[in-house]
Amino acid sequence: MKNSTTKKKKQRVTRQNRIQTRMIILIVCIVLGAVLYNGHRIKLKEQEYAAVEQELDMQIAEAKEEQKELDEQAEYQKTDAYKEEVAREQFGMVKEGEYILKQRDTGSN
């Protein structure tokens, strides 16, 4: 009888050990799955942020180019050549000794 009770105890302990082992394996699998899932989400976010960063870099480059053009235009507007251009185009002014030639309308009759 002693032998059969010892055998039953060993079987119970062995069964409990198997159940515990399976539970540990299940928990490890769940944790591993969660880590892999979060890693994948982080990688996707990283790609998204890289695309946004690239777009912002392009916008910065465009803004710098536009700023350069505006600076050049502002410098040109300070010159006498610009003032003369505006005076001629907008106000019809001429330099001393110059004449304005206008084309006559020749009637088509």
Side-chain angles (χ1 to χ4, degrees), residues 14-73:
T14 304
R15 191 177 323 133
Q16 286 176 348
N17 285 344
R18 277 191 237 150
I19 292 172
Q20 289 174 349
T21 303
R22 288 178 183 163
M23 292 297 289
I24 291 172
I25 290 172
L26 178 64
I27 291 170
V28 168
C29 287
I30 290 171
V31 170
L32 181 62
V35 168
L36 291 174
Y37 175 74
N38 285 331
H40 180 68
R41 281 185 44 224
I42 289 171
K43 189 172 184 175
L44 291 177
K45 280 288 185 187
E46 180 183 6
Q47 290 172 348
E48 183 181 323
Y49 290 146
V52 169
E53 181 182 16
Q54 185 178 13
E55 178 66 28
L56 290 174
D57 286 343
M58 287 175 36
Q59 289 177 4
I60 288 170
E62 289 172 3
K64 284 181 180 180
E65 184 64 32
E66 184 178 349
Q67 181 64 43
K68 181 182 172 186
E69 291 172 6
L70 289 172
D71 289 343
E72 289 172 357
Q73 183 180 6

Side-chain angles (χ1 to χ4, degrees), residues 1-13:
M1 254 199 197
K2 238 179 176 187
N3 201 8
S4 81
T5 51
T6 309
K7 190 174 182 181
K8 285 183 182 183
K9 282 183 182 182
K10 283 183 180 182
Q11 285 176 347
R12 191 177 337 132
V13 170

Side-chain angles (χ1 to χ4, degrees), residues 46-109:
E46 180 183 6
Q47 290 172 348
E48 183 181 323
Y49 290 146
V52 169
E53 181 182 16
Q54 185 178 13
E55 178 66 28
L56 290 174
D57 286 343
M58 287 175 36
Q59 289 177 4
I60 288 170
E62 289 172 3
K64 284 181 180 180
E65 184 64 32
E66 184 178 349
Q67 181 64 43
K68 181 182 172 186
E69 291 172 6
L70 289 172
D71 289 343
E72 289 172 357
Q73 183 180 6
E75 285 299 313
Y76 174 66
Q77 288 176 347
K78 292 178 186 176
T79 65
D80 289 339
Y82 173 76
K83 293 173 188 171
E84 184 179 325
E85 180 184 327
V86 170
R88 286 178 182 272
E89 290 177 4
Q90 292 184 3
F91 302 113
M93 298 178 83
V94 293
K95 288 185 178 180
E96 193 173 314
E98 289 183 336
Y99 299 100
I100 297 176
L101 299 176
K102 294 184 179 181
Q103 189 175 11
R104 282 192 200 177
D105 282 338
T106 56
S108 57
N109 291 340

